[in-house]
Every structure is written in C-alpha cells, then in structure tokens.
Amino acid sequence: MSMYITVFLRIMLLLSLAVMVFDYLRVEQLYIQMDRGFIDGFEVFITRWPGFIFIIIVILFVIINTIQFILVRKNKHSVLNAFLAVEYDVSDERAVQITHKAVSNAFVFILVYSFFIVGSYMFIPNYFVDYIWYPLFTTVSIPIVGLLTYLISFKVLQHK
C-alpha cells in the first residue's frame, strides 16, 4: 500500500509543479506577445490552488519520509539505506530483485516513450507558440509514465 501512496504522491508533485510552471509560462507568453505588438494588453489571473497542492504534497513527503526514517532506525536488522526506498524493504532479497527488474522495465519504457514524445515535437511546431501546455505536460508525462510502469511491473512481478 505504501508503494501506491508514494507513486501517487510523486505523480501529484510533478503535476502540481507543472501546473504552477504553466501559469508562469502563460503570463510570460502574454507579456512577450504584448512586447512584440501582437496584443495591446492583457489581464493576469494566477490560480493559487496548484501552489497549495504542491506545498501540501511536499509536507506529506516530509512526514512520510520522517516516519520511514524513524522505523528504519528502530529496526536493528534493517539497512539505513532502506530509508531512501520507501516502496519496499531493502532487507528482503526478493523485493530487491523485483525492484531491479521493475526499474529496468521502467527505464526501457522511458527511453522508448521519450523517443516518441521528442519526435512528436517535430510534427507540431505551432503548439510551442499557441499551446505552450503541450511541451510542458508531455515532458512531465515522461517521469509519470516511468513511475506508473515501475509500479505496474513491481506489482506484476511481486504476484508471480
């Protein structure tokens, strides 16, 4: 269950950061269009909820990592490096092997997915000007797809 929570929090962290950056890019794009004479003026409305969500997720990460660190320190048989991997128990050799395979699968999928995402930029250059969300959110989707591939691979290999 902690793996689902950790992956979900990481995905939410990436998405909330992307939405915050999108708001900044949108304002910057309007300013550049005004500076170049394409528009006469513009209004700025920046939403606060992405920032609040980002801060809440960071706080949850700190709390979860603190709890995990305390649990690892109390267990005399566990390795202190287990603190860095919240998803599984490092002292379990089977979990280490499953994680190795799941990470390998995720890495291969990220390479293939990245190839197609970067290739898609070639076919839609107008999106960079008119739809600034496309390159931002497709770039953010790369680690999200990697995390989901890792989660699915880990769970499939764990049930074998």
Side-chain angles (χ1 to χ4, degrees):
M1 188 60 148
S2 68
M3 178 178 273
Y4 290 113
I5 293 170
T6 304
V7 169
F8 177 74
L9 285 175
R10 288 178 184 169
I11 289 172
M12 291 305 297
L13 186 68
L14 288 167
L15 286 176
S16 63
L17 181 63
V19 171
M20 284 182 3
V21 170
F22 172 72
D23 272 348
Y24 171 78
L25 288 176
R26 185 177 47 83
V27 171
E28 187 70 23
Q29 179 188 32
L30 290 171
Y31 177 75
I32 290 171
Q33 287 176 346
M34 185 183 74
D35 189 41
R36 293 183 180 168
F38 295 124
I39 58 176
D40 293 329
F42 63 93
E43 286 186 24
V44 176
F45 179 75
I46 297 177
T47 56
R48 293 182 181 179
W49 64 267
F52 291 140
I53 290 174
F54 182 77
I55 290 170
I56 289 169
I57 292 171
V58 168
I59 290 170
L60 285 173
F61 255 64
V62 169
I63 291 170
I64 288 173
N65 283 331
T66 303
I67 292 170
Q68 180 71 15
F69 182 73
I70 291 169
L71 292 175
V72 168
R73 293 288 288 183
K74 284 185 178 183
N75 187 356
K76 295 180 182 179
H77 299 292
S78 67
V79 181
L80 191 59
N81 290 340
F83 162 68
L84 298 174
V86 182
E87 296 90 6
Y88 68 98
D89 183 13
V90 184
S91 60
D92 183 11
E93 288 184 28
R94 182 173 180 264
V96 172
Q97 290 174 347
I98 290 172
T99 300
H100 173 71
K101 290 178 184 176
V103 168
S104 297
N105 292 342
F107 182 70
V108 167
F109 198 82
I110 285 172
L111 289 176
V112 172
Y113 183 74
S114 299
F115 178 78
F116 287 111
I117 289 297
V118 172
S120 75
Y121 293 165
M122 180 175 60
F123 297 110
I124 43 178
N126 291 335
Y127 274 25
F128 295 130
V129 176
D130 298 327
Y131 306 104
I132 57 172
W133 56 266
Y134 182 79
L136 175 68
F137 287 108
T138 55
T139 303
V140 167
S141 73
I142 294 171
I144 290 173
V145 166
L147 283 168
L148 291 174
T149 304
Y150 168 72
L151 175 68
I152 292 168
S153 296
F154 188 90
K155 290 300 178 179
V156 167
L157 292 169
Q158 189 179 32
H159 290 294
K160 281 187 177 182

